[in-house]
Amino acid sequence: MGDDIGRELEVEVGKIAHGGISVARHEGRVIFVNDAIPGERVVARVSDDRKKRFWRADTVRVIEASEHRREHVWGAASVDRDPAERAGGAEFGHIELAHQRELKAQVLMEALDRTGGIDADTLADALGADRLTIEGLPGEPDGTGWRTRVRLNVDEQGRLGPYAARSHRVIPVNDLPLATPEVQAAAPLGERFAGEPHVDVLAPSVGSARLIIGKQARSTITERVGEREFALADSGFWQVHRHAASTLTAAVQQAVDPAQFDPASANLDLYGGVGLLAAALGDRFGTGLRITSVESDAIATDYAAENLAEWVGARAVTSRVEAFLRQLAAGSAPERARLESATVVLDPPRAGAGLDVVDALASLRPAQLVYVACDPVAFARDAGALRERGYRLASLRSFDLFPNTHHVEAVASLVRE
């Protein structure tokens, strides 16, 4: 293999696939094409031919453009550049924003069907509609100006920039259009940082923008969601879109069925971070809430304990979720019984919760689950596994937390039947 690397093919672009790539065919072989839009005819340059069944390729010229194609919002990522010199992180920036959301909806619905085995009637009931709509957040009409956190990598000359797509090649840039104005102003794009691995630029909602250079000592920042403030490490995880935390707070609150909710039960917030979603339940259901936030990062757990201190029944535990659930499963009958009336919120990483966690949750039989998902295929896999174990998809909403990228967020409720 390797003889076809660099070969240019003229192809008709078919449907969108998971990962922001489009599917084409050439002489019977599947070609996964970057920077194209379904319905286009493009010239694509082969970048990976190691697999017999499919190749990967990058669009280098558009012959017949989609009506939804626009000038890329970030010149550094444009198809006008050689693929090796294109900045990563804005792979949908050449597509009109409304059509981006249509493509994301297609990917999520197909995943739920093919991977999750969730039939059209069930999905329609959960959506309250025949089709999924990706909900936009407040912001610029072209999907720019939303990132409150940006990591800039450092090349051998000390220059800053994002990696090229699917690469560790640093692309020096002179602008960051997806970032908020505060991050753009603070980013030291023209400076040199030789010897450092990266520079993080962040603009919390409270206080001024700041840089984290390499592995410098962490400090505490404050993020505000509505009237509530959350303390966290400046190097810790927080939702990237400036409106994401408030959007997910409201969506999780709405996803919980109050008829199935028992504030005195052994409610759980899994992959809880610094307590954002546990606090969302607390703000909806009051000071009598009993909830345990579980997070593997000890630093985040310490902040969660502080952020949830006003709820006497709240606690924060440092543990891997799988280990924590196994411990619950080994508990006494009365302890397990308290879980059967519980609500569980889970916000796993991109890989999803996985079969071990799904099995453990199903064995504990909580009344309802609220699943916050950032990967459609991983979510569909877990939703399908929960369906097989007696949980019905009761509601589903999806949000465009990452405009001009292929990423999409979903918030689903699943109830025990």
Side-chain angles (χ1 to χ4, degrees):
M1 292 296 186
D3 294 342
D4 289 287
I5 296 293
R7 180 181 173 189
E8 294 190 355
L9 313 171
E10 184 175 322
V11 295
E12 187 81 31
V13 180
K15 67 178 183 179
I16 196 72
H18 178 51
I21 53 178
S22 297
V23 181
R25 291 186 179 273
H26 182 78
E27 298 178 351
R29 178 180 281 110
V30 172
I31 312 291
F32 291 123
V33 184
N34 299 306
D35 299 319
I37 305 174
E40 292 187 326
R41 177 168 288 276
V42 304
V43 174
R45 183 182 300 159
V46 176
S47 59
D48 186 346
D49 66 350
R50 290 174 294 176
K51 302 290 187 181
K52 291 183 178 180
R53 295 175 54 196
F54 66 87
W55 290 348
R56 297 186 183 276
D58 299 296
T59 299
V60 293
R61 189 166 71 257
V62 180
I63 299 171
E64 297 177 9
S66 166
E67 63 179 329
H68 304 293
R69 181 173 283 272
R70 64 178 180 181
E71 183 177 354
H72 204 292
V73 296
W74 193 9
S78 171
V79 73
D80 296 332
R81 283 194 168 201
D82 186 273
E85 298 298 327
R86 292 175 197 166
E91 62 278 4
F92 272 9
H94 61 289
I95 308 173
E96 292 174 347
L97 191 60
H99 194 58
Q100 292 182 33
R101 292 171 180 162
E102 291 178 8
L103 296 177
K104 294 178 185 187
Q106 290 174 25
V107 170
L108 179 51
M109 291 181 71
E110 181 172 331
L112 288 168
D113 177 20
R114 297 183 60 179
T115 303
I118 295 172
D119 62 65
D121 289 341
T122 299
L123 183 56
D125 287 344
L127 295 172
D130 292 333
R131 292 186 56 80
L132 174 67
T133 298
I134 307 297
E135 301 177 42
L137 276 62
E140 300 300 325
D142 63 352
T144 59
W146 53 269
R147 287 194 69 103
T148 61
R149 285 152 171 76
V150 172
R151 168 156 292 184
L152 299 171
N153 302 290
V154 183
D155 69 8
E156 293 179 353
Q157 289 77 46
R159 299 175 299 177
L160 295 176
Y163 285 137
R166 298 164 303 283
S167 165
H168 286 88
R169 174 184 173 84
V170 175
I171 306 298
V173 297
N174 57 21
D175 64 345
L176 298 168
L178 300 194
T180 63
E182 296 81 4
V183 168
Q184 293 184 52
L189 295 178
E191 300 179 24
R192 301 287 181 118
F193 291 83
E196 298 292 349
H198 48 73
V199 174
D200 292 331
V201 190
L202 64 151
S205 55
V206 177
S208 58
R210 64 179 64 197
L211 306 182
I212 305 175
I213 301 171
K215 298 180 179 180
Q216 75 181 54
R218 67 179 175 89
S219 61
T220 297
I221 60 173
T222 301
E223 294 283 2
R224 182 178 292 120
V225 181
E227 299 301 315
R228 182 168 296 284
E229 292 187 345
F230 294 84
L232 67 150
D234 56 7
S235 57
F237 173 79
W238 187 256
Q239 294 290 338
V240 174
H241 193 296
R242 56 181 174 165
H243 296 295
S246 58
T247 297
L248 293 178
T249 291
V252 167
Q253 289 172 336
Q254 182 178 350
V256 174
D257 180 358
Q260 304 244 23
F261 188 82
D262 179 2
S265 190
N267 302 296
L268 300 176
D269 172 27
L270 305 180
Y271 313 94
V274 298
L276 172 69
L277 300 182
L281 295 190
D283 283 334
R284 181 174 183 194
F285 293 104
T287 57
L289 175 69
R290 179 184 177 190
I291 192 165
T292 300
S293 182
V294 183
E295 168 59 51
S296 62
D297 183 340
I299 295 172
T301 305
D302 288 343
Y303 282 111
E306 176 183 343
N307 294 329
L308 300 174
E310 70 184 74
W311 291 281
V312 176
R315 65 184 183 121
V317 174
T318 303
S319 174
R320 292 184 62 83
V321 167
E322 306 93 296
F324 180 82
L325 293 177
R326 283 196 298 268
Q327 183 179 8
L328 290 182
S332 66
E335 290 173 330
R336 289 173 58 88
R338 283 196 294 272
L339 282 157
E340 292 190 3
S341 58
T343 293
V344 176
V345 177
L346 61 160
D347 183 8
R350 190 148 286 141
L355 189 57
D356 288 347
V357 170
V358 166
D359 279 339
L361 284 171
S363 73
L364 294 168
R365 303 185 72 247
Q368 62 181 325
L369 309 171
V370 177
Y371 193 128
V372 180
C374 59
D375 183 275
V377 172
F379 165 63
R381 177 203 64 210
D382 291 345
L386 286 163
R387 176 184 58 80
E388 293 171 352
R389 290 156 179 77
Y391 283 84
R392 174 179 57 85
L393 182 65
S395 71
L396 175 65
R397 296 175 69 190
S398 192
F399 302 92
D400 196 11
L401 299 193
F402 312 95
N404 292 309
T405 82
H406 74 275
H407 298 293
V408 64
E409 198 90 358
V411 177
S413 64
L414 300 105
V415 297
R416 189 182 70 226
E417 294 190 299

